[in-house]
Amino acid sequence: MGIIKVENIRVFANHGCLKEETAIGSDYRVDLKVKADLEKSATSDALSDTVDYVLLNKIVVEEMAIPSALLEHVAKRILRRVFTEGKLVTVATVAVSKINPPIGGDVEMVTIELTEKRKS
């Protein structure tokens, strides 16, 4: 078993419950960690035997481009696609962070994190 991390994916997106948030948009950070059997790729040196982190980044960028009211909803969509398109992934964790959220305080970011295991 091994772990692949794609960390600090920076995107600008239009998520939020407030109309202004979806109109103006803001900066986000996404961290994705997947577990998979990497033994075959460690030996074969073949991209087809591993989880392609270019694909993982693409999934995050595409799903973050679809506006949602809640970060939980975006995170769930990302996980759904990771399991659909990353056939070797057994467990995935995604953390979606809104940078400088409009919550009336000096807060660097708000983060939601979801973890799922592949369903049999």
Side-chain angles (χ1 to χ4, degrees):
M1 193 59 59
I3 295 173
I4 296 174
K5 296 179 183 179
V6 185
E7 299 177 297
N8 201 19
I9 303 167
R10 294 176 300 277
V11 294
F12 185 85
N14 300 77
H15 305 299
C17 295
L18 304 174
K19 192 164 85 171
E20 295 82 14
E21 289 180 291
T22 56
I24 298 169
S26 57
D27 293 313
Y28 292 84
R29 170 188 169 157
V30 180
D31 296 294
L32 182 59
K33 178 172 88 170
V34 301
K35 290 184 181 181
D37 184 351
L38 302 179
E39 199 60 39
K40 185 175 181 182
S41 61
T43 303
S44 73
D45 198 26
L47 181 60
S48 60
D49 292 334
T50 192
V51 179
D52 185 355
Y53 52 79
V54 173
L55 171 66
L56 297 176
N57 184 68
K58 178 180 179 246
I59 289 169
V60 168
V61 170
E62 289 177 357
E63 292 303 321
M64 288 297 291
I66 303 168
S68 293
L70 300 177
L71 298 182
E72 294 90 323
H73 186 72
V74 181
K76 184 70 172 179
R77 286 199 323 263
I78 291 169
L79 289 175
R80 196 174 301 128
R81 279 195 58 195
V82 165
F83 285 111
T84 300
E85 298 176 37
K87 300 297 183 190
L88 297 176
V89 174
T90 57
V91 179
T93 299
V94 63
V96 180
S97 302
K98 180 178 265 191
I99 311 298
N100 296 320
I103 61 174
D106 186 11
V107 177
E108 181 181 356
M109 71 178 97
V110 174
T111 303
I112 66 93
E113 183 175 288
L114 295 178
T115 300
E116 285 191 14
K117 294 180 180 179
R118 180 174 293 282
K119 294 172 179 63
S120 302

